[in-house]
Amino acid sequence: MENKKLGVIGGMGPQATSVFFEKVIENTAAERDQDHIHMIILNHSTLPDRTKVILEGRGDLFLDAVANDLKLLELAGVSNIAIPCNTSHYFHDEMQQMTSVNIIHMVDETVKEIHDRFGGSAKVGILATNGTVSSGIYRKSCEKYGMTLHEPDAEMQSKVMDIIYNDVKGQKNVDPKKLESLIHRLVYEEQCKCVILACTELSCIELDGFYKECSIDAMEVLVNRSITLSGKSLAAGTAK
C-alpha cells in the first residue's frame, strides 16, 4: 500500500495532541525512522473552546478559526486529516465541506468498532465534555448502529468535567482512581457493556488494566485508523 502523508489539527488540548503523536509512534509497525508515518501537526492551541461555542450556538467562531488549518494541510499534500478532539467532530460535516482531503471521523470510527465488538442492541456508556454529550454526536451514531447510549447524570457529568478541565488541562496531576470509579459505576450499576472515553484529555490518564478492558478509547481508535489509512501496519500486540 502507498505511504500517505497524515495531517493533524491539534492543540485541543496540547497534551492530548502529544499523546496522539506518541500513540501513533507506539502503534506503528516500524523498525527504523523511515518506517514511520510522515505527519504534519498543526498545534493550534488558540482555537476557541469547542464546548463553549456549541453551548452558546457560536460554531462559526470555531469554523472560521480552523478553516486556514484545513487549507494549509491540503496545500501540504496530506491524504487524510486526523483531529484528536471528540467535541470538534460536531462540526465534521462543515469542516469536510471546506477541504477535498478526507477528515477521519473519530466518532463514527469509534462507534463502528464498538458495534463490531459487542454487536447491535448493546448499552454503551460515555464520558465526555458537556459539549460532546449535549451535541448528541455519539448518541446519533449509536442509534445508527442500533445501540443505546447511556449518558451520565448531572452529578457524574460534573465530575467528568472536573477531571478534564481541572485535573488534565489545569493541574496535569491526575489520580486515575477518579476516572476508574466513574467507569465502575457505568459498568456495574448502569450495566453498560463498555464505556467510551470520548474526550482526548481522558486518554492522557493511565488506567488499570481492568478498566482499560471496560473502555473504548476514541483516541486509540483514531490513532489506529490514522495508521492504516496512511498505508502502515499496526504494531504487534496493538489493540484493534
Side-chain angles (χ1 to χ4, degrees), residues 201-218:
E201 265 66 44
L202 299 180
S203 305
C204 300
I205 302 171
E206 188 63 35
L207 297 173
D208 179 75
F210 172 76
Y211 292 101
K212 280 185 180 179
E213 289 295 319
C214 297
S215 307
I216 300 291
D217 187 349

Side-chain angles (χ1 to χ4, degrees), residues 92-111:
H92 179 275
D93 291 348
E94 291 93 332
M95 290 190 291
Q96 189 61 80
Q97 290 173 10
M98 295 177 179
T99 179
S100 60
V101 180
N102 175 55
I103 301 174
I104 305 169
H105 204 309
M106 188 181 197
V107 175
D108 280 356
E109 294 290 349
T110 299
V111 174

Side-chain angles (χ1 to χ4, degrees), residues 20-39:
F20 174 83
F21 184 37
E22 290 173 5
K23 284 180 176 287
V24 169
I25 294 169
E26 291 171 3
N27 291 7
T28 302
E31 296 181 357
R32 55 180 186 156
D33 293 347
Q34 291 75 18
D35 294 333
H36 284 281
I37 295 171
H38 185 173
M39 271 189 281

Side-chain angles (χ1 to χ4, degrees), residues 147-167:
M147 299 185 296
T148 301
L149 185 70
H150 177 82
E151 298 170 353
D153 59 23
E155 177 197 2
M156 181 181 287
Q157 186 59 33
S158 177
K159 291 179 179 178
V160 176
M161 290 293 283
D162 182 62
I163 292 171
I164 293 169
Y165 279 90
N166 294 329
D167 294 356

